[in-house]
Amino acid sequence: MPEQKITPELIRQHNLTEEEYSLILKQIGREPNITELGIFSVMWSEHCSYKNTRPLLKGFPTRTPEVLVAAGEENAGIIDIGDGLAVAFKIESHNHPSAVEPFQGAATGVGGIIRDIFTMGARPICAANSLRFGNLDSAEVRRLFRGVVAGIGHYGNCFGIPTVAGEVYFDESYEGNPLVNAFCLGVLRHEQIARGAAKGTGNPVFYVGPATGRDGLAGAAFASQDLTEESAEQQRGAVQVGDPFMEKLCMEACLELLATGVVAGIQDMGAAGLTCSTCETAARGGTGIEIELDKVPQRGPGMTPYEIMLSESQERMLIIVHKGKENEVKRIFDKWDLPWAEIGVVTDTGQMVVKHHGEVVADLPAAKLADEAPVYQRASKEPSYLSETRQFDLATIADTQDPIADLQALLSTPTIASKNWVFRQYDSTVRNGTVVQPGSDAAVLRVKSDSLPLLPESAPNRHQAVQDKYLAISVDGNGAYVYLDPYEGGKTAVAEAARNLACSGAVPLGTTDNLNFGNPHNPELFWQLKEAVRGLADACRHFEAPVTGGNVSLYNQNPKGAIDPTPTVAMVGLIEDPAQITTQWFKEQGDVILLLGALVDQADPYQGLGGSAYLKLRHDLKQGLPPRCDLVREKQLHDALRGWISQGIIRSAHDCSEGGLAVALAECCISNERARHTSELTGANIVLKTPAQVRTDALLFGETQGRIIVSIPPSHETKILGQAAILGLPAEKIGTVGGKNLSLKVDEGIFEWDLDTLHDGWFNCINRIMES
């Protein structure tokens, strides 16, 4: 390839600053060639280096005695779940690719996160996701929504992994820049943890998986710049193309190879492809690596070193094998009918050396590429818009005049409505481990013997059955709350995830987060990020749910401005006894309904209506302050609930979130889908007394935090209320389960909703919009 002159314009095209280019010159002592410039461009992108966020991420709690692999050490964190078993889990974004090519962008997001998990030696057992889109009134938004959901379903269903949990929000701030965050969890034994380090000078380096093509070229760099119509069109080739069947074969072959003990290091080719996998494994191992590109399987004719190194073609892995054991790789990958190639060797030079036709086309220090990207302390300042949103006065808007219509309307908004149109496209039961499917506060998975990767044939416990474990998974985040108060919004995202786990009977194990924010060069947007991370960290520390890893996705904005700052939190919990698994819908006629937590936070000037779904729906406002999150009171509530669940006296538990108390009560009545399109509707009779100075809309639709609705046998009412009083935990009886309607008496007024009508609007809302 003719050598290309490195010009200031070429440097800018690679998203590198003059200062960064000067640092490259200093680090390598010469001018880079075009291939080396491309390598630095992707490795020093925000997506790979976290150069704008690394100082913030250090504030996360990452260590507890149960953490076996901490955040930042490997592709995913790993946490002990007892009896020699562990879980690996992580969430990552594929936002920009999904905006350009929604089907393939979302599909390859799923494929990428699955590879992160089995690279750790774990067998993936479930997937989840968090999605954000603009207003569904827009045909373009519907196109993106349809494509993303189809892509997620295609990859997960074909691969054979259940998609069990998630969340979907719709807001105009995400117009043109949807968020697609993909989560995966896998299980393994402690001794099966694999590492992504190139160790052992002289060990051969193998490329396994399909050939390298020109798809996904420089995708990491594309994800680290503002998304505009021009950049999207230019970077359409940066979207990868996925093959879930190939990935399934690749996973099985890799797990089988790991069981032989011949693997010295393993790394998937995700962001930055062959570049990232080679330099990161060398950096982790404190070694060097040398590869010959002629030996790399290639799909396209005449591919240049630049293209081969920066391609993000999917389903590819890099494996370092103990010298003399090469035939095991060949035997196993031939058995699975998968391509393989021995492309290089581990060295002791500390350099990543890339050859093409026998000539060196890149010779760079691996550790400097992987670990010594520039780190920036970005300027931050409180956004000016907050002075306006905080001036909002509830007295300027009228109280509700028609609660019956308001509840029906809230349940029929796409953000609150049932997401069955989404999750019915996902196989949520494949592998027969799903205990609680999508539709309750948290999904619940059973970890059984066949969930685990195989042990070596010589292992004495190869065929030994393991004790079943039960895991709960919840994904949460509310961008409107973070927009109005990033610190409180960050805390609330974690608290709601923990509350959802508590409602299912689970104790939190750990957290993974995806930080979706705008351009970090804007001080106001960086302030949002900094404050949100502070809130996330404080809450994770309080709930003893360490952050095991995650992803930062910046530059999420469209020509109208940045998205609402949206940290997504995925939390995993452990349920000790399957008898304690709890769901959100009412169970038995005559059960007593209790509200745990304060009816309304009267110290909140907005009475829970700040940033609420009701305020947005009825008044088209995103103003005020979000509901306050009291971490001490939250944890006390969760601990008490788990205690009562362990005693077998809680029949259902459901947290109050978007839409407030009235929406939560309605969901308890209508969300029990016993089979597809076959729901069991259970009525309730509720009596509420409005506290002094509290508005009716705040009472019914305010989103005061730290509240859970439970149903219990009548014989336990006195016991729970008495224990709650001793704990200083607000709790009161608000009604009974029974009848065919939702009846709500507020002071002297009585409101009644037909459950069939409520269910129809809630269950069919998105379906009617998408199929009309």
Side-chain angles (χ1 to χ4, degrees), residues 24 27-33 35-37 39-40 279 288-291 309 347 349-356 359-369:
I24 291 170
Q27 286 193 352
I28 66 176
R30 57 178 172 79
E31 186 176 86
N33 60 41
T35 300
E36 292 172 327
L37 185 70
I39 287 171
F40 270 106
C279 71
I289 196 165
E290 182 176 308
I291 61 173
M309 291 301 293
T347 68
T349 65
Q351 294 290 110
M352 181 181 79
V353 178
V354 181
K355 293 183 177 180
H356 190 231
E359 295 184 7
V360 174
V361 294
D363 187 354
L364 301 171
K368 292 185 182 298
L369 270 173

Side-chain angles (χ1 to χ4, degrees), residues 257-570:
L257 185 67
L258 286 166
T260 66
V262 307
V263 176
I266 183 169
Q267 175 80 8
D268 79 302
M269 295 188 206
L274 191 55
T275 289
C276 190
S277 59
T278 49
C279 71
E280 281 193 354
T281 52
R284 289 193 191 113
T287 59
I289 196 165
E290 182 176 308
I291 61 173
E292 172 55 71
L293 296 185
D294 290 354
K295 298 179 180 180
V296 173
Q298 297 164 42
R299 280 207 307 271
M303 290 187 70
T304 66
Y306 182 99
E307 291 172 327
I308 298 169
M309 291 301 293
L310 270 62
S311 168
E312 293 183 10
S313 293
Q314 295 291 284
E315 292 88 39
R316 303 176 302 156
M317 305 288 290
L318 193 78
I319 300 177
I320 295 91
V321 178
H322 292 298
K323 190 173 179 60
K325 303 294 184 181
E326 295 89 342
N327 284 337
E328 280 295 280
V329 181
K330 301 171 185 178
R331 177 183 67 83
I332 289 173
F333 277 83
D334 282 345
K335 168 191 168 182
W336 288 98
D337 197 23
L338 283 170
W340 58 265
E342 187 176 339
I343 66 169
V345 65
V346 176
T347 68
D348 60 1
T349 65
Q351 294 290 110
M352 181 181 79
V353 178
V354 181
K355 293 183 177 180
H356 190 231
H357 302 325
E359 295 184 7
V360 174
V361 294
D363 187 354
L364 301 171
K368 292 185 182 298
L369 270 173
D371 302 326
E372 297 184 29
V375 176
Y376 298 108
Q377 300 281 350
R378 294 295 180 197
S380 67
K381 69 174 183 177
E382 186 173 289
S384 56
Y385 71 80
L386 288 177
S387 61
E388 177 188 342
T389 59
R390 291 171 180 170
Q391 289 175 7
F392 172 63
D393 186 349
L394 266 185
T396 62
I397 61 172
D399 201 344
T400 176
Q401 300 300 307
D402 191 350
I404 292 178
D406 290 338
L407 178 57
Q408 290 172 339
L410 279 167
L411 289 170
S412 300
T413 57
T415 293
I416 291 177
S418 168
K419 306 306 183 297
N420 72 87
W421 183 88
V422 176
F423 60 70
R424 77 186 185 207
Q425 298 183 54
Y426 306 153
D427 188 337
S428 60
T429 60
V430 63
R431 295 190 58 80
N432 197 32
T434 308
V435 180
V436 177
Q437 298 182 40
S440 192
D441 282 321
V444 179
L445 269 291
R446 177 165 64 110
V447 178
K448 47 195 189 341
S449 293
D450 67 359
S451 303
L452 295 159
L454 282 177
L455 287 165
E457 291 185 7
S458 59
N461 58 334
R462 178 177 169 86
H463 299 292
Q464 181 180 330
V466 300
Q467 180 69 38
D468 285 356
K469 301 281 185 180
Y470 293 85
L471 302 172
I473 299 155
S474 179
V475 185
D476 290 284
N478 186 316
Y481 288 178
V482 184
Y483 172 79
L484 294 173
D485 188 328
Y487 177 71
E488 285 295 322
K491 282 172 30 183
T492 299
V494 176
E496 183 173 354
R499 198 183 318 131
N500 284 331
L501 294 189
C503 287
S504 71
V507 177
L509 287 169
T511 305
T512 177
D513 62 79
N514 208 126
L515 305 177
N516 305 279
F517 287 79
N519 191 321
H521 297 271
N522 182 323
E524 294 189 347
L525 300 183
F526 193 75
W527 184 87
Q528 292 176 336
L529 174 59
K530 185 171 71 171
E531 285 298 290
V533 167
R534 186 168 68 90
L536 293 168
D538 284 353
C540 287
R541 197 172 290 112
H542 192 83
F543 291 112
E544 300 174 18
V547 175
T548 62
N551 177 239
V552 178
S553 175
L554 305 183
Y555 305 95
N556 288 292
Q557 45 199 82
N558 56 48
K560 295 180 181 179
I563 62 164
D564 281 354
T566 309
T568 297
V569 172

